[in-house]
Amino acid sequence: MRQWFRIAFPRTHLDRRKRAGFLFVLPALLFFGSVFILPLVQSVIYSFYKISPGGSREFVGLRLYEKVLTDTTFWTAVWNTVQLLLFSVPVTVVLALAVALGLNRITNLRWRNLWSSMYFLPFATSLVAAALIWQWIYDPVYGFLNYALSYVGIPPQRWLQSLDQVRPALAAIGVWVRIGFDTMIFLAALQSIPQEYYEAANMDGASAVQRLRYITLPLLNAQIIMVCILELIFNFKIFDQVYATTQGGPAGASQTIISLLYDTAFKYFRLGDASVMAVFVFVTLMAVTLLQWRIFRKPVVY
Amino acid sequence: MKRREWWMVVMLSAVMVAVTFPGASFAQQKKLVLWTHWDQNPEFNKWYAEKGKEFAKKSGYEVEVVTIPYQGYDAKYLAAFMAKNSAPDMFMGMTHHWCGQYDFCDKMPADLAKIYDDNLPKYMSEVGKWKGARYGIPIEHGNFQQMYINVDMFKKAGLDPDNPPKTMTDFLAAVKKLTIADAKGGDPTQVGFAIRSKGAPVGITDKFLPFAHAFGARMLSPDLDRATGYANSPQMVAALTYFGDLVNKDKVASLAFGNPEDAFGQKRAAIIFRESWFFGWLKKNAPDVNFKVYALPCEKACPGAGALFPWTDLVYKNSPNKQVAWEFMRFISNPKDDMEHHQIQGILPVWTANLESPYVKSRPDYQSTRDMLAQPVPPTYFHPKSNELATAFGEAVVGVLFGKGQPKQLLDEAAVKMDRILKD
Amino acid sequence: MNPVAASNVPPTRRALTLRQVYVRWLITLAVACGAIIVFFPFFWMAVTSLKSAPEIQRVPLQIAPDHWFNFSNYVEVFKREPFLRYLLNSAIVASIAAVSSVVVSSLAGFGFAKYNFPGRDVFFLAIVGILMVPFQSVVVPLYVWMNELGLLDTYMGIVAPDLVSVFGVFLMRQAIEMIPNDYIDAARIDGASELKIFFLVILPSVKPAIATLLIIKFMWSWNEFFWPMVVISSPEMKVVTMGLMSFTNMYFIEYNLLTAAAVLSILPILLIFVTLQRWVVQAVVMSGLKG
């Protein structure tokens, strides 16, 4: 409290500087607050109410929490989401890193721009449009993927119709859309690494792999963590691709938390239950992010 | 840097444009707003606005039609109704949801309700009603499935395309003949029946119900208050066994075929059960398919003209213009307008008087529709929680199709779930 | 002593061994192949937009359309929907979102990266936390709130949830963190105010990040579907994504029109991206030449 008083009425240079820092952050806080605070609070309040036929609301305390958190459908959705995550996050980060490293090596600027544009282009499509196009590419009968695979002798796969392939197939759509985004972040970071570091390493006779391990990756640490966190958050909330294509099918194999949340809120008219799921998502993501941050934050010594 | 300045100018002008655009507050003209998510029927939707111009001459109110994407319409409707003053005056939706689960609908004035009670086909008399009171006007006739057959494939298999199977037993025999198995034991190259196995479980329930009804089963009790004993009745188990066997035992339907519509259009499937809009789709996407439409096969009972999703036009309860809205509804509630409205889109009219018109007589589904309407009305499930109930039920159906369990066991589980939903 | 940004290659003074040339060539090939694979769905989309509906249904698959200059789908798209208006609306909304994001995010990024005030980490976590809330659970109360503010069906209303980007704050914080503190201290010693430091020291050093954020935020906002769909009710305010979805319905998807509309909606972004990318490169090169 005393600290806040000193911010508001600064006495020393340090105080003044702290105040400046706070003021820089204030617009963002105000924006988010004015748009989201009320709706967020309202949404949490919903989780304590049940909407009965006719539209009236009754307060039920923690009953909905108990109901949702003991529902097997909910946990199946959580497990499906986790399976999707285990595919998409590592694949996206590793591929994006690999592509960025590869692009970084291309000295001809025009070619590099061309390739990096092509990688980035999927980000220019909306998730829904991408999902619809991919759904068609995945079609077992007249989709392009099976057609191409038939030339290599692989029999037609069911992709989005298969209980096992549907999750990776859906995850792949997200990977395709987002890979350019992460590549761009890594590439921008790679290009800010001072050349001197590599020159010094070369004087010491370091190999390419050693350069990667001891210079590049540690310096990219911050970006890697950021990308991992963002991809985790983004893929945990996966919804658009699922809803546009399989709607949770077949047989619930692609039912993710958010698609279940959407159905619960708007098709089953149970806003309270949906809000409970939202609270669950928030708490889980917050916990995981904090954990990731704590574990992987290494100070980089220049 | 020149380019940076240029971009700044562009951005700044965009901001200025946005600021000077106070949104869409344009019309001084009074109007009724109608929301619909029937985006596959643009002509039908436009007609309301056209009629609205005529209506404006007597009442001063035009009609503005807003087409909402089907994906996400439920969220938009709910948000608008909860915010009240941004809600439409009229909207298209399911009566038992918006008037039953929520209280967003205005009751239809008695005179108009009587007009509809007198002029709707028998099976539609409950569509638009909730607890005996009428709220909505049914806009879709032909929302029930019928049997489309590929004439050429029938001929090739030695079957008479003018004499389609009339019972489920005959149906099974026919699709067996129509299936061409793969020599290598993989998925068949041609199936007898295009089965719906993808998408949300509600849709799968919708496609399975004709089979259920044909076997004399029903999903819920007549009062719609109990599922156990109905959703898992012996008749239902028999129906689901039959259905699952099509895929798993008799192999006359396949899960590897994607969209059943595509399969039929690509001549990979000989029979499909689809509603009356389907031949419009065929004409556009697969014009070389030679098809005929027939009534669905019966067994113990007949599937009849039943639908899980009856669409109706409703009036918002808290609309300041609801009197005028009902006036507009009265204005268009006559046989001539009903005919014109549906004909320009190529769908079936709703009024009984129009069912023998030359337009309807010229449709490929004329006779089959008559046959199906002659059958007794099948069970309906217009319950506020119909989405959730149908999803739980559909999970059992899908489970059987994908071999995740036996019909009896999965149906028992579904019945328990459905009862829990009903009691909640 | 600005670091010269260059690619991670050994100094050219040393002669390249055959193996190194081979490896470099292999890497380029791999990158190129990857790019082509990633690009393929667009090619597929473009090709499909030149086919008629029966052509698309055809089995076995044919890659090339029957007529290469069959633009009937595009004509139909414009006939059915006022697509130009949608493009304009999306452009306006995305521009506002991008500019606003950059301004607010760079300010916030600076505050988080280089200052230490009470509650800093909590605030940062709160901002990141916004990302963790599923939008679907907030949409109804947000709509009601927008209604109270009178912003329904307006550009501000469409843009409101998008005005600041959490990712933007993340990115700018990252980028600004990398600026050596000596520069800032030097500027302070010279007597510059904090705001001046922001404009004269920080902003010029993070031009690539700003350009990146602009592009990404513009694209992201351009491709938003759910919130615009909920908040827009009048036909003239619709955005491109809603136009795209009008070619799908509860029964079927009109792929011939959908792909044509998708191509139309990507072209403007492509343009912006190509232009801005050149600026990114210029910015990087310029910063290399300085000092």
Side-chain angles (χ1 to χ4, degrees), chain A residues 17-18 31 34 104 116-117 119-121 123-126 132 136 176 181 191 226 237 239 278 286 289 293, chain C residues 5 7 31 34-35 38 48 56 115-116 124 131-132 136-137 145 164 174 188 216 223 255 266 270 277:
Chain A
R17 215 175 303 161
K18 286 192 182 173
F31 259 132
S34 62
N104 202 25
S116 68
S117 302
Y119 278 107
F120 196 65
L121 203 55
F123 199 70
T125 45
S126 71
L132 291 177
W136 185 31
W176 178 77
F181 170 79
Q191 296 190 325
M226 174 174 84
K237 297 195 303 175
F239 171 71
M286 187 59 91
T289 304
W293 217 340
Chain C
S7 49
V31 167
V38 166
T48 306
I56 295 176
Y115 292 89
N116 196 349
F124 186 70
L131 213 56
M132 300 178 191
Q136 289 81 358
S137 72
W145 176 229
V164 195
Q174 214 86 277
R188 282 212 187 104
I216 288 183
N223 288 320
Y255 275 112
I266 291 181
L270 206 53
Q277 205 195 27

Side-chain angles (χ1 to χ4, degrees), chain A residues 54 67 142 161 262 267 270, chain B residues 72 74 101 258 262 388 424:
Chain A
K67 176 164 163 235
Y142 67 125
Q161 321 273 71
Y262 182 90
K267 295 228 185 270
R270 293 197 270 121
Chain B
D74 2 51
Q101 175 68 33
D262 292 337
E388 206 175 352
D424 195 6

Side-chain angles (χ1 to χ4, degrees), chain A residues 28-273:
Chain A
L29 291 177
L30 281 180
F31 259 132
F32 279 126
S34 62
V35 172
F36 283 110
I37 286 259
L38 253 122
L40 275 173
V41 167
Q42 181 73 288
S43 148
V44 173
I45 291 180
Y46 279 163
S47 69
F48 299 112
Y49 282 82
K50 188 181 88 147
I51 298 201
S52 14
S56 58
R57 271 187 276 164
E58 58 169 289
F59 182 76
V60 288
L62 289 174
R63 182 148 69 89
L64 289 176
Y65 281 85
E66 188 198 322
K67 176 164 163 235
V68 170
L69 294 175
T70 55
D71 188 8
T72 40
T73 318
F74 176 68
W75 288 110
T76 313
V78 174
W79 177 227
N80 285 341
T81 314
V82 170
Q83 287 181 356
L84 264 159
L85 268 178
L86 290 176
F87 179 88
S88 42
V89 177
V91 170
T92 316
V93 177
V94 168
L95 278 182
L97 204 52
V99 170
L101 288 169
L103 282 173
N104 202 25
R105 279 212 163 218
I106 299 179
T107 35
N108 186 330
L109 223 58
R110 220 179 288 158
W111 279 116
R112 194 208 296 177
N113 280 346
L114 176 66
W115 302 132
S116 68
S117 302
M118 284 169 84
Y119 278 107
F120 196 65
L121 203 55
F123 199 70
T125 45
S126 71
L127 270 173
V128 178
L132 291 177
I133 305 277
W134 271 96
Q135 177 183 40
W136 185 31
I137 293 181
Y138 277 135
D139 190 285
V141 174
Y142 67 125
F144 185 79
L145 194 54
N146 279 345
Y147 174 73
L149 287 177
S150 68
Y151 276 108
V152 215
I154 302 181
Q157 301 293 310
R158 293 206 190 156
W159 304 120
L160 295 177
Q161 321 273 71
S162 143
L163 291 176
D164 300 308
Q165 293 171 338
V166 65
R167 285 178 295 266
L170 280 175
I173 302 178
V175 172
W176 178 77
V177 169
R178 291 180 68 82
I179 195 171
F181 170 79
D182 296 333
T183 303
M184 216 192 195
I185 296 177
F186 286 143
L187 194 59
L190 278 173
Q191 296 190 325
S192 324
I193 296 181
Q195 181 69 347
E196 289 97 48
Y197 296 169
Y198 292 114
E199 286 175 15
N202 282 321
M203 303 278 199
D204 290 343
S207 74
V209 178
Q210 283 175 320
R211 273 203 306 268
L212 186 70
R213 252 184 85 188
Y214 294 112
I215 302 182
T216 316
L217 286 184
L219 283 176
L220 281 184
N221 189 46
Q223 275 78 11
I224 296 181
I225 295 180
M226 174 174 84
V227 165
C228 277
I229 292 180
L230 287 176
E231 287 300 319
L232 183 82
I233 295 177
F234 181 78
N235 282 296
F236 199 74
K237 297 195 303 175
I238 187 172
F239 171 71
D240 291 294
Q241 304 93 296
V242 175
Y243 220 71
T245 55
T246 58
Q247 285 138 37
S254 66
Q255 177 84 292
T256 62
I257 301 182
I258 302 297
S259 90
L260 180 63
L261 192 158
Y262 182 90
D263 280 344
T264 308
F266 302 116
K267 295 228 185 270
Y268 311 157
F269 310 118
R270 293 197 270 121
L271 279 175
D273 297 40

Side-chain angles (χ1 to χ4, degrees), chain B residues 186-206:
Chain B
D187 293 315
T189 46
Q190 178 184 306
V191 282
F193 182 59
I195 199 167
R196 164 81 172 266
S197 62
K198 55 183 284 203
V202 208
I204 304 208
T205 301
D206 183 45

